[in-house]
Amino acid sequence: MSYRDFLAKVARADPGVVPFFQAKTHGEWGVGIDAVGALEVWPFELPGFQGLDLEPGAAPHMGFTASGYAATRGSYKFHFPDGNASIARLLVRSLVPSSIPGRSADDIVTAAVDYGQLDRPGAPVRIRLNCIAVAARNLGAPATAQEAEIIYSRGGTLAAARTKALVTRLLEHDDPVSMPRAARCPEGRPPLPSG
């Protein structure tokens, strides 16, 4: 039985209560109360279970999350207030540590980004926010190519840059992934035709 049905049919809550609680389960399960079982939300002390004299602890057929929460009467959970944007910020901080202060998932939420650190000449990783690579190809025969051409868009204009040859094989499961340092957008290059 869904928590929504439990509220409406068992707890006999006022119909206006259901829309109010519809999103209460989004943080834990990513779906509304119409898609989460009543037994799953009981350990989270959502309304409707008071007075039922339920024994504390996990119950048979209870899901993993709810049974863990019921057994410990709480669990550590962390939700980013900005959604997955913090995941991207954590990735940027791991690639360019000087760009965002801090060391944990807790401090990434309020940390200010130093955008000037993202694209420094000579840095092992350069992130260009206003320069999007649209194509890349090795110049010359695949086995002997020494250079590659990166075609990029900047301000609505296409341009090209040359760099070391690109690795063109498929990645295997445990391959390390690195970002080429030399893929840069040099100033003053003539734009490529957009056709």
Side-chain angles (χ1 to χ4, degrees):
M1 171 183 286
S2 71
Y3 181 51
R4 177 178 154 171
D5 286 348
F6 174 82
L7 285 175
K9 297 174 183 174
V10 177
R12 294 190 183 134
D14 183 278
V17 168
V18 172
F20 179 78
F21 284 103
Q22 179 61 31
K24 276 290 196 197
T25 52
H26 284 183
E28 198 68 45
W29 290 279
V31 294
I33 64 171
D34 56 322
V36 177
L39 185 60
E40 301 302 303
V41 302
W42 166 68
F44 291 85
E45 299 179 356
L46 290 179
F49 301 99
Q50 299 75 9
L52 293 181
D53 250 355
L54 298 171
E55 290 290 323
H61 308 293
M62 187 179 273
F64 180 77
T65 300
S67 61
Y69 197 88
T72 62
R73 298 304 294 157
S75 70
Y76 176 76
K77 57 184 174 180
F78 187 87
H79 299 278
F80 292 117
D82 60 351
N84 289 339
S86 285
I87 304 299
R89 290 164 54 86
L90 285 165
L91 177 61
V92 167
R93 179 164 66 191
S94 71
L95 293 170
V96 186
S98 62
S99 67
I100 305 175
R103 306 189 111 198
S104 71
D106 294 313
D107 59 32
I108 196 70
V109 175
T110 57
V113 178
D114 180 351
Y115 291 98
Q117 296 295 313
L118 297 179
D119 186 24
R120 289 177 314 162
V125 174
R126 297 176 70 181
I127 299 174
R128 275 250 163 116
L129 298 178
N130 62 349
C131 181
I132 301 168
V134 294
R137 67 182 177 100
N138 281 329
L139 301 174
T144 60
Q146 298 294 309
E147 281 190 305
E149 180 179 56
I150 308 289
I151 300 170
Y152 61 92
S153 171
R154 183 181 216 175
T157 303
L158 291 178
R162 291 198 176 192
T163 184
K164 293 180 187 176
L166 304 167
V167 176
T168 57
R169 69 178 180 82
L170 293 175
L171 291 173
E172 299 296 328
H173 174 67
D174 290 325
D175 280 354
V177 178
S178 64
M179 301 187 65
R181 280 187 233 181
R184 30 181 146 10
C185 300
E187 300 296 333
R189 289 286 303 236
L192 295 174
S194 59

